[in-house]
Amino acid sequence: MKTIVSIVSHRHQPDLLEGGLLAGMRGLDVVVRENFPDSPSLIARPVRLLRNKEICGFGANHNKNFEAVGLDDDDWFVICNPDILSEAEQITDLVTRADVDGERMAAPFLWNSKTNSFDHNVRPFPTVLSQILSYLGYGHHCRYTQETVDDLKYPDWASGAFIAIKAGLYRELGGFDENFFMYMEDVDFCARGKRAGARVRFYSDIRMVHNAARANRKFFSRSFFQHVRSIAYYYRKASLS
């Protein structure tokens, strides 16, 4: 069983190198895709650095990495944001336990160091109402409570900030839907995985740090409108499935 960690950099290479994520990844196979063509190449082997000729969306970037690394169906493809802090042993523990448990998707508990709280990286599937309420500041309507999370094994979906996926499942589902440029592609992937009989396994005792920016929460920002477009596409797609 092989494990590949897939990271997409948006000019994050200096952050990844300077005591960041890559410092804890020694011993793992890591592929970093630089999304900005004009960014210098700072990362050297053993990490594999790939470069885009043009900017791509979240799902397209990870799909490109998946195609580049050539995994067997029993291998693990680990999607990891550049602002995650983790040790190689935690990732190895996650995929090993998931493999023993017969799971095809797995996620850890993410702690947001900026808010000093649970990052809510696993959630129930959203509804139109729950997402409207979330934008109005009532986010608890689309989240699990802390008490629920402590004993939760199978959430509806897990954030693409960090999720481990069996290569066979990734291939079966055709990877991420690239019609999502950013946001909601992880919800869609987990929904499709569930329909294929693969639930997300949540390991609440494996804890990593996520320094999430939450740019989509800023009303009338570019990220906000991108999030709204993704939400509209998600529900349009769901209505046809």
Side-chain angles (χ1 to χ4, degrees):
M1 181 185 75
K2 183 165 62 174
T3 300
I4 294 286
V5 179
S6 174
I7 301 170
V8 177
S9 167
H10 304 274
R11 299 194 178 103
H12 289 110
Q13 290 184 64
D15 298 328
L16 287 167
L17 288 169
E18 294 171 6
L21 178 60
L22 294 182
M25 291 284 182
R26 292 184 180 90
L28 286 178
D29 290 329
V30 180
V31 55
V32 175
R33 179 170 294 275
E34 178 53 63
N35 199 26
F36 283 84
D38 60 347
S39 295
S41 297
L42 305 178
I43 292 173
R45 291 192 177 278
V47 175
R48 184 176 178 183
L49 178 65
L50 304 176
R51 304 185 60 84
N52 283 346
K53 293 182 179 179
E54 59 183 13
I55 294 174
C56 297
F58 176 92
N61 277 309
H62 286 292
N63 288 349
K64 287 176 181 292
N65 279 354
F66 183 82
E67 291 301 320
V69 296
L71 295 172
D72 294 331
D73 284 353
D74 286 336
D75 295 332
W76 285 94
F77 186 62
V78 179
I79 293 164
C80 183
N81 272 13
D83 54 2
I84 296 289
L85 295 178
S86 173
E87 298 296 325
E89 292 79 7
Q90 292 175 296
I91 297 174
T92 301
D93 186 25
L94 180 78
V95 299
T96 299
R97 288 169 60 181
D99 208 62
V100 169
D101 291 337
E103 309 293 355
R104 294 195 285 168
M105 283 193 284
F109 180 109
L110 294 185
W111 182 263
N112 191 316
S113 65
K114 292 187 177 181
T115 63
N116 200 32
S117 63
F118 173 50
D119 197 55
H120 298 286
N121 63 298
V122 292
R123 301 190 182 199
F125 285 128
T127 64
V128 173
L129 177 60
S130 70
Q131 290 191 305
I132 291 173
L133 290 172
S134 178
Y135 271 116
L136 295 175
Y138 300 98
H140 61 281
H141 289 280
C142 59
R143 298 175 179 176
Y144 296 113
T145 65
Q146 183 65 59
E147 293 75 16
T148 301
V149 166
D150 290 339
D151 298 317
L152 184 64
K153 284 189 176 181
Y154 293 103
D156 283 344
W157 66 278
S159 166
F162 192 104
I163 184 169
I165 305 166
K166 273 282 190 179
L169 176 65
Y170 199 93
R171 189 171 288 115
E172 177 185 342
L173 298 181
F176 286 105
D177 183 341
E178 296 182 14
N179 289 305
F180 296 98
F181 185 82
M182 183 167 43
Y183 307 121
M184 299 296 290
E185 59 276 277
D186 42 12
V187 186
D188 171 73
F189 188 94
C190 292
R192 289 187 287 126
K194 187 174 183 178
R195 289 196 293 270
R199 298 179 296 175
V200 179
R201 178 62 189 270
F202 179 53
Y203 292 94
S204 60
D205 59 325
I206 299 178
R207 303 199 166 196
M208 303 176 189
V209 175
H210 184 206
N211 297 318
R214 299 287 189 235
N216 59 302
R217 296 297 184 192
K218 299 174 183 176
F219 281 101
F220 307 118
S221 68
R222 183 177 177 181
S223 295
F224 169 77
F225 286 114
Q226 185 62 60
H227 195 200
V228 171
R229 283 194 292 269
S230 293
I231 289 170
Y233 175 68
Y234 172 80
Y235 288 114
R236 186 167 67 251
K237 180 180 179 181
S239 70
L240 298 174
S241 61

